[in-house]
Amino acid sequence: MSHAVAKKTETENCIGSSSSSSNLKQSPQPAQQPHSSSSNSNSNNTNTNNSHNNSNGDAGFTLLNGNHSSHQRSNGLTHAAAAAVAASYASGGSANGIGSGSGNSGMSSVGGASATAAGINAALLNAAPATALPSNGGLQSPYERYRADDTSYVPIGQFYAGRSVFITGGTGFMGKVLVEKLLRSCPDIRNIYLLIRPKRGQEVSARLTELLNAPLFESLRREKPKELSKVIPISGDITSEELGISESDQTLLCRNVSVVFHSAATVKFDEKLKLSVTINMLGTKRLVELCHRMMSLDALIHVSTAYCNCDRTDVSEVIYAPPYNPDDIISLINWLPEDILDQLTPRLIGKRPNTYTFTKALAEHMLLKEAGNLPVAIVRPSIVTASLNEPFAGWVDNFNGPTGLVSALAKGMFRTMMCEKNYVADMVPVDIVINLMIAAAWRTATRKSNNLLIYNCCTGQRNPIIWSEFVKFAMSSVRKHPLEGCLWYPTGDLRMNRPMNTLNCLLKHFLPAYILDGVARIMGKKPFVVNVQNKIAKAVECLEYFATRQWRFKDDNVHGLLHTLSPKDREIFIFDVRNINWDKYVERYVLGFREFLFKQRPESLPASRKRMVRLYYLHQLVKVVAVLLTWRFLMSRSKRLNDMWSAFLENALKIARLIPFL
């Protein structure tokens, strides 16, 4: 059986539009047995020259310019990676340093290191896939609307009854919401296996107990405490071979699991390339290898990101060809020294802003190649933010993305950033994403298809909000529901003038921070404000790329999936973003991080509001004083300005004397 290929949802060539689809070759795949262990080992076999029969009208996919021999390995390196290492020798690299994988690159100078990076990059580009998925001749519509008389319809809750689910990333932000939703809305689910890494000497069972005692599971603990016993920890590590899972646990998973959700990833934008590849790419590959051994797997849902294709303006629900072959990148991180990888990283990621989006794009391409005949779907959320409704409005457990910046705004510590205020702020509540993932798994399992479907989970097409509106709503909410210990009255501006933004950062962020830290030292207290401002600046730098650009994420598959659900399932598993009222959502968002991140109870709001009124008047007073001091300074430096001011006052007094006669 040939491996599953993803078809395009619209008529266009994704990359290399000049290439004819008739010239595309499919990456060769041997015959496979569904989900067998031999299936996975054979999927990497590149010695066959069988070409794909296109008589059925399904075009194939090109890997490495259609040349399967590029995947053959030599001493653990693909040919392209070997050429890249060879390029480093030609550019002045040390053979001993690179061949041994030593941390010392052996480069004689910075110029030699740059030449090495350029040589490696050129070798990899020559082996990159030349094109993405070809056109299928028209729009694809694999969805049929729900019909009340359809007796074959299986409700989502009923589908999960008696099934066991395996989740990676279950202790993360999205994973927690997924576990809670499955337990609450699919009460007959059999078991949920969570991949948990032992951490800081804490066993996985202790980490699971800590997880289930979080406020997120409060309603379940109160109403359905027995449901929590269905969550079973699996000790492992996404960065380890075979995911660090013991043989007995692997056997347990292969025998029982029928649905897999893969959400484990490093979301740090400034992560080193080596670790980012290890988690986001190798972790995915190892999970797919495990899935091939599962006896009754019906759905594998891979969580990617809508921004993995951020080098494009229009992003469809297709897999675009990456700039490099994933196997070559994996080979390089295993062979090249860390310092050369660091020098090479900016060249590798190209137009993408960070290693996260780069490795996520490669992971999608690798998943397409490695999945074989597995039933796979990909969910691509945009910027994931606090929950809309479930398990309660405004729940959030981290300061990532906009949460950290709005929190800093609420504290009065953040007042300016580079942002195009009229661009769409494509953010999506976490429970919307989770409901879509659950429904996508249901659809993948109940409607068997050879197509790898992708779901862009975004709000920009159906219910957009622009950055200026988001900031306006956030500003209003943080003033209405202020934080305890707010340092200053919350204000702020979005700018696209970099020199002006830099000047405002210095005057409004760092100057007050150094003053406050100086006062703290005089009083014998520990200074912290400058350190906080440095962290804010780093967060702003990461978000700036996404706030100064705009994308159009097409979500036809999401919209189509929505209409296949029954009215009852639509009420239980809500992922229609048109239901979001952004003003109310942002207010709940602010109340959410106030309660769950800053641990401040609603009872403290009256006192915080009184403090906010005092800060408002203090803010206005400071502005008046600043204007007067500035004017006084200018008057003392300019005789002409002084004369103009005197003339103005004299004329104003004359007019004032005439008022009684008018």
Side-chain angles (χ1 to χ4, degrees):
M1 179 183 293
S2 64
H3 75 294
V5 296
K7 292 185 178 180
K8 286 191 64 177
T9 58
E10 61 179 21
T11 307
E12 67 170 357
N13 286 328
C14 301
I15 299 176
S17 58
S18 61
S19 302
S20 170
S21 62
S22 61
N23 294 330
L24 298 178
K25 300 177 184 178
Q26 183 184 8
S27 176
Q29 293 285 340
Q32 301 183 29
Q33 297 298 322
H35 320 325
S36 65
S37 58
S38 61
S39 166
N40 182 59
S41 60
N42 289 338
S43 65
N44 290 326
N45 186 345
T46 57
N47 296 324
T48 177
N49 291 316
N50 295 335
S51 59
H52 181 58
N53 184 356
N54 287 328
S55 61
N56 61 357
D58 293 347
F61 190 86
T62 297
L63 294 175
L64 290 176
N65 300 318
N67 183 1
H68 69 275
S69 63
S70 297
H71 288 290
Q72 294 174 344
R73 293 182 178 275
S74 173
N75 296 327
L77 282 171
T78 62
H79 285 321
V85 174
S88 69
Y89 297 141
S91 302
S94 168
N96 292 334
I98 295 175
S100 64
S102 167
N104 182 5
S105 66
M107 306 305 292
S108 58
S109 66
V110 175
S114 299
T116 299
I120 293 174
N121 192 52
L124 291 175
L125 281 172
N126 288 335
T131 185
L133 299 181
S135 168
N136 68 350
L139 287 176
Q140 170 180 293
S141 181
Y143 301 100
E144 295 181 1
R145 286 179 174 267
Y146 169 78
R147 301 191 319 273
D149 61 347
D150 184 3
T151 57
S152 65
Y153 183 86
V154 178
I156 294 179
Q158 183 179 331
F159 162 76
Y160 282 96
R163 291 181 179 272
S164 291
V165 173
F166 179 49
I167 301 174
T168 69
T171 58
F173 177 45
M174 292 177 59
K176 294 174 185 176
V177 181
L178 175 59
V179 172
E180 195 277 340
K181 178 65 176 181
L182 287 172
L183 291 175
R184 180 165 47 85
S185 299
C186 304
D188 295 323
I189 196 169
R190 185 179 177 187
N191 285 311
I192 298 176
Y193 297 101
L194 288 188
L195 183 67
I196 300 179
R197 176 171 57 91
K199 191 175 182 181
R200 294 190 294 269
Q202 193 178 25
E203 294 297 325
V204 294
S205 56
R207 291 197 65 194
L208 177 62
T209 301
E210 181 181 348
L211 170 69
L212 298 180
N213 284 331
L216 183 69
F217 297 92
E218 182 178 348
S219 62
L220 279 172
R221 289 196 303 270
R222 183 176 61 252
E223 299 169 9
K224 302 177 181 179
K226 292 183 179 179
E227 296 295 315
L228 298 177
S229 63
K230 295 179 179 180
V231 184
I232 300 173
I234 298 293
S235 181
D237 188 343
I238 199 74
T239 64
S240 302
E241 290 291 336
E242 297 185 335
L243 303 178
I245 302 175
S246 67
E247 191 63 39
S248 60
D249 281 345
Q250 289 185 43
T251 302
L252 176 70
L253 295 174
C254 292
R255 186 173 62 245
N256 295 327
V257 170
S258 59
V259 178
V260 175
F261 293 99
H262 178 44
S263 63
T266 174
V267 297
K268 289 180 63 177
F269 286 171
D270 57 349
E271 192 70 84
K272 293 279 190 179
L273 181 63
K274 186 179 183 69
L275 183 57
S276 190
V277 169
T278 301
I279 296 176
N280 294 345
M281 294 175 63
L282 276 174
T284 300
K285 187 173 184 178
R286 290 160 180 162
L287 177 68
V288 170
E289 291 171 354
L290 178 63
C291 288
H292 273 292
R293 296 168 49 199
M294 292 182 179
M295 300 175 184
S296 56
L297 182 69
D298 287 324
L300 164 59
I301 303 301
H302 172 74
V303 181
S304 183
T305 171
Y307 295 100
C308 65
N309 297 298
C310 59
D311 55 335
R312 306 174 60 86
T313 302
D314 294 280
V315 181
S316 299
E317 292 170 306
V318 298
I319 295 179
Y320 294 95
Y324 308 99
N325 182 273
D327 288 337
D328 297 336
I329 301 301
I330 291 173
S331 294
L332 284 184
I333 67 152
N334 290 328
W335 280 74
L336 288 180
E338 191 82 19
D339 56 347
I340 291 185
L341 280 175
D342 292 343
Q343 296 164 13
L344 186 59
T345 296
R347 293 176 180 268
L348 286 175
I349 65 178
K351 294 181 180 179
R352 291 180 172 86
N354 48 57
T355 58
Y356 171 67
T357 56
F358 175 70
T359 54
K360 277 296 191 178
L362 292 173
E364 286 192 1
H365 188 275
M366 185 179 63
L367 181 65
L368 177 70
K369 170 176 167 280
E370 300 286 343
N373 61 341
L374 293 177
V376 182
I378 296 175
V379 174
R380 292 177 181 160
S382 52
I383 302 173
V384 182
T385 52
S387 61
L388 176 66
N389 296 310
E390 299 177 285
F392 28 77
W395 184 81
V396 63
D397 74 342
N398 63 80
F399 286 98
N400 295 338
T403 306
L405 300 185
V406 177
S407 300
L409 173 70
K411 276 286 189 180
M413 301 179 67
F414 178 60
R415 319 181 85 77
T416 181
M417 73 171 289
M418 289 287 293
C419 177
E420 178 48 70
K421 60 183 180 181
N422 293 319
Y423 280 178
V424 171
D426 206 314
M427 53 189 71
V428 58
V430 62
D431 49 334
I432 294 283
V433 184
I434 296 307
N435 288 330
L436 174 61
M437 289 167 57
I438 294 172
W442 163 83
R443 174 72 186 188
T444 302
T446 57
R447 295 290 189 272
K448 301 296 183 182
S449 171
N450 286 332
N451 299 331
L452 191 159
L453 290 175
I454 295 135
Y455 300 91
N456 285 342
C457 186
C458 310
T459 57
Q461 295 297 306
R462 310 283 173 180
N463 188 8
I465 178 175
I466 60 175
W467 284 108
S468 60
E469 291 176 331
F470 176 74
V471 170
K472 181 181 73 173
F473 295 153
M475 199 81 70
S476 173
S477 296
V478 298
R479 292 169 180 171
K480 183 179 178 181
H481 310 290
L483 294 175
E484 298 175 31
C486 184
L487 297 177
W488 200 256
Y489 186 73
T491 61
D493 293 295
L494 303 177
R495 311 173 193 276
M496 283 299 289
N497 185 315
R498 188 170 296 279
M500 184 62 66
N501 185 68
T502 302
L503 178 62
N504 275 271
C505 279
L506 293 173
L507 295 178
K508 297 180 179 180
H509 291 175
F510 286 97
L511 180 60
Y514 278 105
I515 292 174
L516 289 174
D517 276 0
V519 173
R521 287 189 176 93
I522 293 172
M523 298 176 64
K525 296 182 179 180
K526 184 179 179 181
F528 69 93
V529 185
V530 172
N531 186 39
V532 171
Q533 284 295 352
N534 287 329
K535 291 181 179 179
I536 293 173
K538 188 175 181 180
V540 170
E541 183 182 357
C542 291
L543 191 61
E544 182 181 302
Y545 178 90
F546 304 96
T548 55
R549 290 164 177 81
Q550 185 168 246
W551 293 265
R552 288 182 292 274
F553 300 113
K554 297 185 178 178
D555 58 354
D556 296 333
N557 285 343
V558 176
H559 196 59
L561 176 60
L562 177 67
H563 289 290
T564 65
L565 269 59
S566 68
K568 184 176 180 180
D569 277 344
R570 287 193 211 178
E571 291 178 5
I572 298 174
F573 302 94
I574 300 172
F575 57 89
D576 187 352
V577 298
R578 293 172 297 184
N579 295 327
I580 302 174
N581 180 315
W582 286 111
D583 192 1
K584 292 181 179 179
Y585 170 73
V586 174
E587 183 176 4
R588 292 169 182 167
Y589 190 175
V590 169
L591 286 170
F593 70 65
R594 187 184 192 277
E595 180 177 356
F596 302 113
L597 295 181
F598 289 94
K599 311 299 181 185
Q600 297 177 8
R601 304 302 300 172
E603 293 78 14
S604 66
L605 277 172
S608 297
R609 287 171 180 148
K610 290 180 181 179
R611 178 182 173 84
M612 181 59 65
V613 171
R614 291 194 295 270
L615 287 175
Y616 169 77
Y617 286 115
L618 179 61
H619 176 67
Q620 301 303 327
L621 177 62
V622 168
K623 287 199 296 184
V624 170
V625 171
V627 169
L628 292 176
L629 289 176
T630 302
W631 183 253
R632 179 62 181 171
F633 174 79
L634 293 175
M635 292 273 291
S636 66
R637 299 295 179 184
S638 173
K639 185 178 184 303
R640 183 179 179 184
L641 189 62
N642 206 336
D643 293 341
M644 291 174 60
W645 177 245
S646 299
F648 171 78
L649 289 178
E650 183 178 350
N651 290 327
L653 288 173
K654 289 180 180 179
I655 294 173
R657 292 192 190 102
L658 293 174
I659 290 178
F661 302 100
L662 295 179

